[in-house]
Amino acid sequence: MASSPPLAPQSATTPPPTITSTPPPDVLQPVEEAPSPQNSSTAPRILHIGTRASALAIAQVNIFTSILKTLHPSLPTKTVPISVAGDRDKTTDLHTLAQTGKSLWTEELEVLLLKGEIDCIVHSLKDVPTKVVTGCEVKIVGDRGERRDCVVFPTRSTTTVDGSTAYNGDEDGTQSSHAQIDGTPEPSEPSHKKQKTASSSTIPPPHPQKLSELPPHSIVGTSSIRRSAMIRRRYPHLRIQDVRGNIGTRLRKLDDPAHGYDCIILAATGLQRLGFGERISEWLDPGPDREEETEEEEEGKEKGAMLHAVGQGGIGLEIREGDEWMKGLLEGREGQRGVVVNRVSWECQAERSLLRTLEGGCSVPVGVSCSWADSSSSSTSTSSSTAATATGNENNPTLEDTTTDTPPSQKMSPGTLHIRASVTSVDGTQFVSASRKQWVSNDQEADEAGWEVARTLVDRGAGSILEGINLNRGMVERGDGA
């Protein structure tokens, strides 16, 4: 096993960003600081919520405010959307952008937060760096949406000269060229793509609805290094091509034959929150939960598992450290449950602790899955619950998690957390996995569960895969947190 040299422990915060230029032109005009509730005799303080400008980001703000207003019905809010670096550059692949060292989805918003121009930021938790900027902290709010990834196939069709229907490809039946995510060589053009549609005289077979049904060299679109690595490991005969843009843009690219995608892979919760749940063709399951096993047994069974991203399905709320007014808004009143759901927060903290210990980010192929021993709440939802969310019901946000029937009281109580994780090389040829069951009743125990799994991953060879990512092996071996 290749090991990495010990490095000094890293804290969970990073120095605040230094930005000397003016904010992007689409940032709303700074709002005047509102008086505190104690000093105001005329109007209540307005909660200014920063967010990305995408439809999904706004939908998640609506979920947060709907939860918050069950506790504070008269609280006025104002959404402050801006376009961040990751949104403005729609051509460079995320792996390359991540190597710039900038927080693609958070940096500009954090500047406004630290200036006091907004009170909080609503994020997709999976996009939030595990080491937040100094002066800020992250809360996980509300219930967690669907954790899993899913496969979406095109709805397009073209009619041949004999009246039959053929799918995929350009107008002449060939594929468009695409940039590889990681520079791997492109396989030769698949024969089923080269045949011209107009010359077809037979009815083509039904379009595949599962990854396993796709013929060799079919094109799978994703901008995620983690997803591409896992697909390469499980389906080495498929081609991976980058696809950027918001959810609507990606669906349009998929359905347009000119782009040549046979399918794309997305986070299911994003589709559901925008009412596109009916587009889900296949769920990428992490596999059933199991008791802890030996390395050989575990890796043999995990080989086909499709673990999701750290924090996927969760909503992160970034606030200023020491902002007691904001923290007070998040607390429950008169027997009501607060905005933070303990078990959701603990499992997401465990996942983020694991990734922080490995010093990974969106450019590292780390997958996770969490569940609770006494609950159906896990990354694998029941068929009945996923059928409900696939119809787009999550477009009408509620306080209840649509992926589990766990009683609300149980969501707040301690329990045994089962966390599984894997690290896969970009080309899919190397793979290690680990799992751990641990009693969790507070934030510290959740952090411990995460870095213990990270330590096991390193012991099993993750260091050779993560070499060059500045793996903090010293922290893992000492077990002094992450």
Side-chain angles (χ1 to χ4, degrees), residues 275-311:
F276 292 121
E278 73 282 352
R279 291 298 305 267
I280 297 172
S281 302
E282 180 185 10
W283 298 97
L284 298 182
D285 284 312
D289 292 328
R290 302 182 304 276
E291 296 294 330
E292 294 183 49
E293 298 166 326
T294 66
E295 178 178 353
E296 292 75 16
E297 292 173 331
E298 192 163 45
E299 293 195 9
K301 292 182 179 179
E302 292 282 13
K303 180 178 179 179
M306 301 293 293
L307 304 185
H308 56 76
V310 166

Side-chain angles (χ1 to χ4, degrees), residues 81 144 191 196 261 314 343 436:
R144 194 172 186 177
S191 60
K196 291 183 180 294
Y261 295 105
R343 286 196 175 186
R436 179 180 177 83

